[in-house]
Every structure is written in structure tokens, then in C-alpha cells.
């Protein structure tokens, strides 16, 4: 919660509704504090760089933080063709560049990652296609998330 008290008029645009508090947790911070993988009860520290702002109170004063090991996996890029080429044209084989990608993230998410997919739309295609497409990270339940960009050749 961010609550502003007794603020100057020129600061009126600065309000709790337009400024969301954020938390930054990095591998370095976890290493420096000696926190290992698992759930930890940590105190909330607030740093304010705007002067003459001062912190009156922090709610909540502490929170439960779950840290997981960072896991890296290399997966092939599966190209999925969609749509139908123009009449008289046939869909051939498509390849992706890169042919595989490296994904990194919390162990629980990496264990659920099933594949990386590139979808190429062939609707009305009359020639070879070389394009950049959004790569999709697909989990074990076939739920799709954004993974990055890759080049597809058809």
C-alpha cells in the first residue's frame, strides 16, 4: 500500500492509483542474504529516491517469499503450419532458425515446459516464405506463453 500525506500541490499527479509499488528480488540479493531455495519470511525494505519523500509506514511489514533454483533447458523449435496455400500450391517442409532455443526460469516452470512452437500461416501463399514469427512456450497442459522470436523458412 502506498499512502501519501501532506504533499505539495505540484506532486498531485503522484498518487497511489498511478504508482504501483514493485519488488525486486535478484539472484545476487538472495545470495548475499544467504537465502536458499524454499519459502522464507522476509521483512519489507522500502527505498525512496525522490526527495523530500519519507516513508511513514510499510504495509505489510513482512511477506513470505518462495525462491526456486534457476533451471536452464534446451528445446527444439517445432514448426506448425496453419492455413491453406493458394489453389495449385502445396505446403512443403518448414524449418526454423534457430532450430533449438534455450529457456531459463524457475524450476517449477521449467518442469512444466513441454515444447517451443513456431506457427507459420500459409493462407493464400504463392511463393516461399521467410518470416520472423513469435515463438510460443507450451506447457504440459498445452497452455501457451510467449517465448521470443525466431525466423521460419518455408
Amino acid at each position: 500500500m502506498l499512502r501519501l500525506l501532506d504533499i505539495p500541490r505540484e506532486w498531485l499527479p503522484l498518487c497511489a492509483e498511478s504508482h504501483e509499488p514493485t519488488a525486486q528480488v535478484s539472484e545476487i540479493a538472495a545470495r548475499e542474504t544467504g537465502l536458499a531455495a524454499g519459502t522464507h519470511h522476509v521483512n519489507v525494505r522500502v527505498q525512496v529516491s525522490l526527495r523530500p519523500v519519507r516513508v511513514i509506514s510499510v504495509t505489510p511489514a513482512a511477506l513470505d517469499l518462495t525462491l526456486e533454483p534457476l533451471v536452464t533447458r534446451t528445446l527444439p523449435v517445432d514448426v506448425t503450419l496453419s492455413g491453406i496455400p493458394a489453389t495449385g500450391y502445396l505446403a512443403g517442409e518448414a524449418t526454423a532458425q534457430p532450430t533449438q532455443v534455450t529457456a531459463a526460469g524457475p524450476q517449477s516452470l521449467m518442469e512444466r515446459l513441454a515444447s517451443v512452437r513456431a506457427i507459420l500461416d500459409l493462407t493464400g501463399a504463392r511463393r516461399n516464405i521467410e518470416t520472423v514469427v513469435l515463438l510460443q512456450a507450451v506447457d504440459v497442459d498445452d497452455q501457451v506463453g510467449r517465448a521470443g522470436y525466431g525466423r521460419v523458412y518455408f
Side-chain angles (χ1 to χ4, degrees):
M1 174 172 63
L2 175 63
R3 186 170 42 180
L4 303 173
L5 302 172
D6 194 26
I7 62 172
R9 174 174 282 173
E10 60 270 14
W11 289 17
L12 285 177
L14 178 67
C15 63
E17 290 77 28
S18 64
H19 290 80
E20 286 291 319
T22 60
Q24 293 182 345
V25 178
S26 68
E27 180 182 346
I28 295 169
R31 209 176 317 129
E32 287 176 354
T33 59
L35 296 179
T39 301
H40 306 275
H41 191 73
V42 295
N43 293 325
V44 175
R45 289 189 336 215
V46 177
Q47 295 178 333
V48 180
S49 58
L50 188 59
R51 299 291 176 229
V53 173
R54 78 184 155 97
V55 176
I56 304 296
S57 67
V58 177
T59 304
L63 53 91
D64 291 327
L65 177 67
T66 301
L67 299 177
E68 294 185 53
L70 179 66
V71 174
T72 303
R73 290 185 57 197
T74 300
L75 297 156
V77 176
D78 300 323
V79 179
T80 300
L81 302 177
S82 70
I84 299 170
T87 303
Y89 292 84
L90 295 174
E93 186 176 329
T95 60
Q97 284 297 325
T99 58
Q100 60 185 14
V101 295
T102 301
Q107 182 175 3
S108 62
L109 289 179
M110 292 295 101
E111 288 172 352
R112 294 188 48 78
L113 183 59
S115 65
V116 175
R117 182 187 306 153
I119 298 176
L120 179 62
D121 183 8
L122 301 178
T123 303
R126 296 177 182 272
R127 58 180 171 76
N128 290 345
I129 300 171
E130 178 182 336
T131 188
V132 175
V133 298
L134 180 66
L135 298 179
Q136 300 174 335
V138 183
D139 74 6
V140 294
D141 295 324
D142 209 31
Q143 297 296 310
V144 175
R146 184 175 151 183
Y149 291 92
R151 186 168 293 279
V152 176
Y153 302 89
F154 171 76

